[in-house]
């Protein structure tokens, strides 16, 4: 007999195989009441159940806790074989209810019971989403194995040819002889498509996993206690702003122009995208969008979606009006100031929008609606019975070049607000007594301040996602950007006579803008990528801080992004184990720095040490997973930095500051580094 | 040991499973030389081979005949996992060479050897095509089991959800408990798409099989002896003309306007189509075409396709010029008259075009190019690495509403020629001494001259097409139009004093045109659907001819369209068995008559008896499969009717004839019938 907690984790395994088929590598047999077997298996379940497992198979007995829910009622409008997206209003409502049901179960046993009952009856992706959110947020489900999404739904991340090849290998090739199946690097487009140069960013498995995970942690709808997290509106702004900064740096690394905002909601969309992905749950491929598709108003009753292009225009204009006014209006016509402290957070909730928006009816639903209008541009009135394109699902949206045009527009709104704020004064920025005297970035080998990038191939085990094929490991090998690890060494003088705690903030941005010339501060600040943030103890006198790139606070290591549940697991019962799952949110470390150029590309590396006493949030972080907090926050805790996210680059420059050098106060430093791209492929060892 | 002939048929089984995996329901093991195992299985073949079969498995030993071909060389440009189409010039060249290779083998053993060697190395659909053509045309391969295409490539005919469900059932559900999987009737579009009303015609499995089979019998390129069949240009015209007549009758049955010709090759294509089909070989879905996609010139080097829109315009204009001139010019500037006897045949070869065209360079490649321009409209320069849409492959082309707009334009060219010909005189049309005194169409029950249509569900066994899943029958159940069988009874007086042989020609056309009014002859003649043609012996005096609708010469019965190789087989060694395969070409009998309307739709039923002595072609047809000859011809024989195809409706009316009644000579008759559509679904019993 295995524990209910472990069994709960196994419910994620092979989402389309029925409950009575053995689960996991050990072939666990679920003994469930007859009534748990989905109707379509009634004829065969008994006969079939006896075919699987034997006396030595581990078992779990699932009892019927209470009355089972009337799933039909509340999942109406989302078929089992339909694609699921939180951005479809109907799906979002259903997901909210299901999360609530899972959250309300009194014990892990009850949760296991109701989840096992529902598993084969409802949409597998809805099931995965709701059970993931519930296990992330319940107190009693910490440490449950949630396999990473790419393992259970590999179809959302890779060429279906790889999955088919995996099926064939699992059938034909004995386990010892199987070789990893290589996901081709150029399968979605050719170089004739200028946007294709960024395939390695848009189609990176780690980046897409990060985005999926982020939206798992920050639902915008549903129970208020799950939505109302500390500064969730601000983190929506900041995480996406950073994505844009990073994407634009990649564009510079590929001699491309900056992302063009989406301003004409009625004209044709220049950038086509053919994702070449299947959705195994739906047995449909993801719809493509040919170049020049013109979006239209949506009338899709099946998705509860009626949306005029005019609504996008109105939402944008009203949000901008609120920004320009410096306040939003509630539905009762009360003013909510968009001030320095809370403005960006409120605005983030208004733009996305989440249920925390002060007036969702008036300010609309700009972010989700933009995604939806583009996602359905190929079939706006559902006449062709087509589903949303990849931009309509957080798991796949970042693959589409148009995602970045949407978010350029959204970021523009946020920046309109930020531009209104009083610039930080030199005094505000200074940390009295603390002076940075020098710093450098250094790889183990090579010249200081020269960083190298290259291609790397890594493997993902697909076995948990291959429904209805024999068990056993089958690996997909994907190619991603990687960089040589480096160490930052920072020299700091503490002229006070006491120990000081400093918050070290590290950013980098391209030196030259899209016109090839050095950027002014107000241009460059928008391209500043946060690469690390940490606390340093500063003794009086000289200090040397060493910090490895692998320790970066914004990223999570490869093993955490693609966590294989069977290896690299934290020790059972450890604090770290308890937090294992939420740690899946985080920018992948292999994408910490941009690609650069073969002959080197200049970046300004920036370090600032602020006074931790002013930044500190008093809270207990023992045992919390604080990885990747700058983009992801910390579970059940406040954002661990009282400064505005993106500080000190979140506001325009004070008077007299034209460029980064002018901006510096003694507790800051900047230096030129070069990122050299090496066009070679290595294997992860 | 099984015979080489039987083994050859088994090579069609489960196209992606390697040669060393057991084949067919009996699990036949192919013992092949080590060198036959494709490179990618080298590591595992030995180990794997021993896993399949046991001592009781039937076996076939395949020896290495001669030197194996350098497949790499001649299949270059067509990857194993690429979709294949004869309309892609590069594919067509490769297919031609492979057919030639198969045709040139000196014995069935040699053919088996080279086919078994190539099977796992080349594109599975290319393999299927070339081996099908070769076994159809070789003298020594008559009677070989070629499974019907829908069995081996079910993905080209049905919703991938059905195939996925079949995979699941084959894995989970014991064979006795499996239920047929229903192919939904409304999965490609909704009623919001006006074209969707014709799903049952465009997506009919039998119609698409017919079209695939027709193009198998009539290649347009390759060895001259395979292409140069009797009147192949004319039958290209006629078969497609009849499709148009039938399609327009269905449009009238659905209160739709006539098919609109495609005249502006540069404007947007109104009709979108989302096929919702996968191609299992390529692991790609078939690309969709959203409404309003604008076609562009093609620059697709990978497909050997550079094609300006201007070429379509030039080809159309030059063809029309040839028609208007009454002659074509050869490349040496010699005139080839487009006369009454050969004109339509030459023009057919020019339009398609086949290698028989008198000047392919000058008159271009109108038909294939039209298909290609539309098939690639979503990715004309291959930047998105997309393949052709369904209209680019003869197996799937008829699903696309735009197929009919292409062929309306093509038929227009043919009719421009036909319109120039001298109308048949009453004397030419008369059969002296023969008078039709009456006729009727009668179902077993019900009123005379009222025919009933309804929906029927039939099953197809998919087991041969389900690669890499356990064996055993899995049925897909599809819904198609059907009609109650009826008998034609024709009363004929023979006033001569001798026996006469008559060619009975039966047509029908809607009474009223698209404006709701009775059609003039020259409008109605284009909508005349041939429903039967047969020889009748006419004794002096009164004769009564009875002919059942199931005997129709233009159609083949259900069992022949979907021939299950294991049941309904002709007796071994019989003549009929020898011709079993070519008999797959033919309009499906279930689509013999149009759908009609719930309250009845008026049609003019037309019967003509011409003098068989004038129509007769002297040739030995003993043992030949003459089924469906009007649309498909007869293998290795002349077209069995000396009259122009479509006679007597292939020319405009003689002076003074305004409507069908005026047109009649005594050996003809016409009467009003009604087709009543009953919106009920029955099961084939």
């Amino acid at each position: 007999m295995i524990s209910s907690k472990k069994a709960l984790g196994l419910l994620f395994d092979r989402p389309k195989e029925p409950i009575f088929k053995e689960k996991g590598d050990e072939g666990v047999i679920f003994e469930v009441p007859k009534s748990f077997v989905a109707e379509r298996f009634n004829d065969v379940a008994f006969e079939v159940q006896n075919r699987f497992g034997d006396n030595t198979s581990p078992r779990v007995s699932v009892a019927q806790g209470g009355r089972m829910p009337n799933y039909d009622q509340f999942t109406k409008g989302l078929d089992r074989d339909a694609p699921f997206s939180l951005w479809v209003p109907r799906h979002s409502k259903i997901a909210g209810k299901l999360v609530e049901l899972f959250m309300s179960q009194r014990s892990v046993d009850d949760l296991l019971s109701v989840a096992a009952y529902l598993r084969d009856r409802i949409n597998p992706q809805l099931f995965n989403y709701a059970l993931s959110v519930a296990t992330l947020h319940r107190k009693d489900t910490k440490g449950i194995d949630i396999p990473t999404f790419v393992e259970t739904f590999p179809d959302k991340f890779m060429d279906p040819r790889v999955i088919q090849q995996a099926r064939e290998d699992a059938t034909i090739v004995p386990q010892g002889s199987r070789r990893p199946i290589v996901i081709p690097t150029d399968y979605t487009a050719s170089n004739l498509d200028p946007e294709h140069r960024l395939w390695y960013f848009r189609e990176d498995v780690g980046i897409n996993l990060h985005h999926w995970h982020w939206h798992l942690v920050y639902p915008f709808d549903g129970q208020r206690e799950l939505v109302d997290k500390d500064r969730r509106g601000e983190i929506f702004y900041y995480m996406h702003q950073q994505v844009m900064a990073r994407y634009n740096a990649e564009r510079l690394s590929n001699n491309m122009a900056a992302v063009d905002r989406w301003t004409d909601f009625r004209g044709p969309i220049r950038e086509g995208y053919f994702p070449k992905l299947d959705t195994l749950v739906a047995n449909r491929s993801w719809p493509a969008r040919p170049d020049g598709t013109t979006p239209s108003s949506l009338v899709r009753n099946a998705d509860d979606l009626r949306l005029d292009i005019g609504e996008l225009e109105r939402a944008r204009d009203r949000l901008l009006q609120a920004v320009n006014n410096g306040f939003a209006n509630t539905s009762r016509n009360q003013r909510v100031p968009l001030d320095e402290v809370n403005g960006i957070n409120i605005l983030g909730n208004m733009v996305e929008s989440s249920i925390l928006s002060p007036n969702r009816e008036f300010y609309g639903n700009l972010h989700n609606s933009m995604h939806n209008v583009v996602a359905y541009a190929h079939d706006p009135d559902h006449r062709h019975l087509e589903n949303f394109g990849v931009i309509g699902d957080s798991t796949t949206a970042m693959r589409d070049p148009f995602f970045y045009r949407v978010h350029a527009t959204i970021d523009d709104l946020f920046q309109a607000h930020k531009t209104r704020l009083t610039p930080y004064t030199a005094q505000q920025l200074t940390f009295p007594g603390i002076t940075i005297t020098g710093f450098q970035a250094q790889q183990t080998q090579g010249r200081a301040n020269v960083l190298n990038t290259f291609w790397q191939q890594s493997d993902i085990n697909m076995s948990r996602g291959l429904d209805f094929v024999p068990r056993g490991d089958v690996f997909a090998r994907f190619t991603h950007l990687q960089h040589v690890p480096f160490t930052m060494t920072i020299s700091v003088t503490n002229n006070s006579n006491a120990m000081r705690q400093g918050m070290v903030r590290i950013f980098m941005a391209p030196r030259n803008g899209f016109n090839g010339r050095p950027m002014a501060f107000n241009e460059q600040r928008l391209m500043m990528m946060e690469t690390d943030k940490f606390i340093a103890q500063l003794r009086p006198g000289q200090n040397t801080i060493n910090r490895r790139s692998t320790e970066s606070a914004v990223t999570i290591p490869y093993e955490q992004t693609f966590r294989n549940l069977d290896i690299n697991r934290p020790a059972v019962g450890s604090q770290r184990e308890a937090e294992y799952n939420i740690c899946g949110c985080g920018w992948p470390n292999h994408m910490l720095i941009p690609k650069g150029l073969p002959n080197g590309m200049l970046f300004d590396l920036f370090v600032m040490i602020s006074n931790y006493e002013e930044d500190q949030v008093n809270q207990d972080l023992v045992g919390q997973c604080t990885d990747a907090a700058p983009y992801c926050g910390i579970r059940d805790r406040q954002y661990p930095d009282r400064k505005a996210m993106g500080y000190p680059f979140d506001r325009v420059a004070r008077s007299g500051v034209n460029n980064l050098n002018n901006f510096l106060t003694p507790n800051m430093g900047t230096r030129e580094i070069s990122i050299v791209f090496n066009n070679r492929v290595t294997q992860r060892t």
Side-chain angles (χ1 to χ4, degrees), chain A residues 398-412:
Chain A
M398 288 183 73
R399 309 177 87 83
D400 189 332
F402 206 73
F403 173 90
Y404 305 91
R405 293 194 60 194
V406 165
H407 278 278
T409 304
I410 283 177
D411 195 52
D412 213 42

Side-chain angles (χ1 to χ4, degrees), chain A residues 329-350:
Chain A
N329 283 307
T330 67
S331 53
R332 293 181 192 163
N333 251 319
Q334 289 166 315
R335 292 188 175 181
V336 180
L338 300 177
D339 58 20
E340 285 189 356
V341 181
N342 297 313
I344 188 68
N345 189 43
I346 294 165
L347 193 58
N349 284 318
M350 288 163 70

Side-chain angles (χ1 to χ4, degrees), chain A residues 185 195-210 239-240 242-251 254 273 397-400 403-404 455 479-481 529 587-588 590-595:
Chain A
T185 56
E195 296 296 328
H196 182 61
R197 293 180 221 167
L198 295 182
W199 68 268
Y200 64 90
F201 187 95
R202 289 188 283 100
E203 295 164 7
D204 184 76
V205 181
I207 286 181
N208 283 287
L209 274 174
H210 159 72
M239 193 276 283
H240 290 97
Q242 284 288 293
V243 165
M244 292 311 300
R246 291 175 171 276
Y247 191 66
N248 272 322
E250 298 295 346
R251 293 181 79 85
N254 286 277
Y273 186 62
M398 288 183 73
R399 309 177 87 83
D400 189 332
F403 173 90
Y404 305 91
W455 300 124
T479 307
H480 55 85
L481 191 65
M529 298 168 276
W587 194 253
H590 64 259
M591 296 301 289
L592 177 65
I593 65 172
K595 185 178 172 207

Side-chain angles (χ1 to χ4, degrees), chain A residues 217-234:
Chain A
V217 176
Y218 292 104
F220 59 85
D221 203 348
Q223 288 169 275
R224 197 174 175 95
E225 56 267 40
L226 300 193
V227 177
D228 195 4
K229 296 192 165 118
D230 183 49
R231 295 166 75 179
R232 60 111 38 231
E234 185 177 5

Side-chain angles (χ1 to χ4, degrees), chain A residues 667-681:
Chain A
N667 56 323
M668 303 183 195
T670 178
R671 72 165 308 138
E672 180 180 294
I673 62 165
S674 177
I675 301 182
V676 178
F677 170 66
N678 305 270
N679 193 10
R680 61 186 161 85
V681 183

Side-chain angles (χ1 to χ4, degrees), chain A residues 467-479:
Chain A
D467 293 290
F468 303 104
V469 303
R471 293 232 157 234
D473 294 344
V474 194
F475 288 92
R477 175 163 290 173
F478 70 107
T479 307

